[in-house]
Amino acid sequence: MTFDAELREQPDVLTRLLAAGREPARAVAEAVRSRGSHFAVLAARGTSDNAARYGQYLFGVRNRMVVALAAPSILTRYEAAPRFEGGLVVGISQSGQSPDIVAVVAEARRQGAVTLGVTNDAASPLAEAAELVFPLLAGPERS
């Protein structure tokens, strides 16, 4: 499949996501409210960084949360785990395979933060590391 063909799939993917995404979104909202998460950290690489940047504005404007973009190498390269407790930590990866994103989410969950994996693959390492999963329903990345 070509990049152009994947772009043309976007309206159908968005329609599926809007229909099926309400319950996962409610679960995240409930976890954030009930556990008093007062900040968010978004971990992403590559093109997922664009989604993270959008999420930074969305959580900041809609939820008035302080939102930071993670620097996964702080944990994976320098072995210095940031303090995630009390927060919401979101890993964004279409494939769910990025080891550094998985490491951030796994460490945040170990610390008791609300963790969310945003991915196409509900059986991926990211989905397994996160407490909650928001499936993108876009199918496998091909181009």
Side-chain angles (χ1 to χ4, degrees):
M1 176 174 287
T2 66
F3 180 71
D4 189 53
E6 282 194 18
L7 287 175
R8 285 193 304 273
E9 288 181 333
Q10 287 181 356
D12 290 338
V13 171
L14 185 56
T15 298
R16 282 195 310 268
L17 187 58
L18 289 172
R22 290 176 191 233
E23 192 50 45
R26 282 189 191 122
V28 173
E30 177 56 32
V32 167
R33 275 192 298 271
S34 70
R35 296 189 15 215
S37 301
H38 55 278
F39 68 91
V41 175
L42 309 178
R45 287 278 193 221
T47 57
S48 293
D49 273 327
N50 297 322
R53 179 64 69 187
Y54 178 76
Q56 186 177 31
Y57 279 86
L58 185 66
F59 282 112
V61 172
R62 299 287 295 176
N63 301 96
R64 299 185 53 146
M65 294 177 89
V66 173
V67 184
L69 300 180
S73 60
I74 291 173
L75 176 65
T76 59
R77 170 73 171 99
Y78 298 104
E79 299 175 0
R83 292 186 183 127
F84 295 119
E85 64 271 4
L88 165 66
V89 176
V90 181
I92 305 169
S93 170
Q94 185 168 343
S95 70
Q97 300 291 326
S98 181
D100 52 348
I101 304 306
V102 172
V104 168
V105 171
E107 175 59 23
R109 188 171 185 183
R110 188 192 69 73
Q111 292 182 26
V114 175
T115 55
L116 171 64
V118 178
T119 182
N120 273 332
D121 186 354
S124 68
L126 175 59
E128 291 176 17
E131 171 186 353
L132 301 163
V133 177
F134 191 92
L136 294 172
L137 307 174
E141 185 176 13
R142 291 179 240 131
S143 62

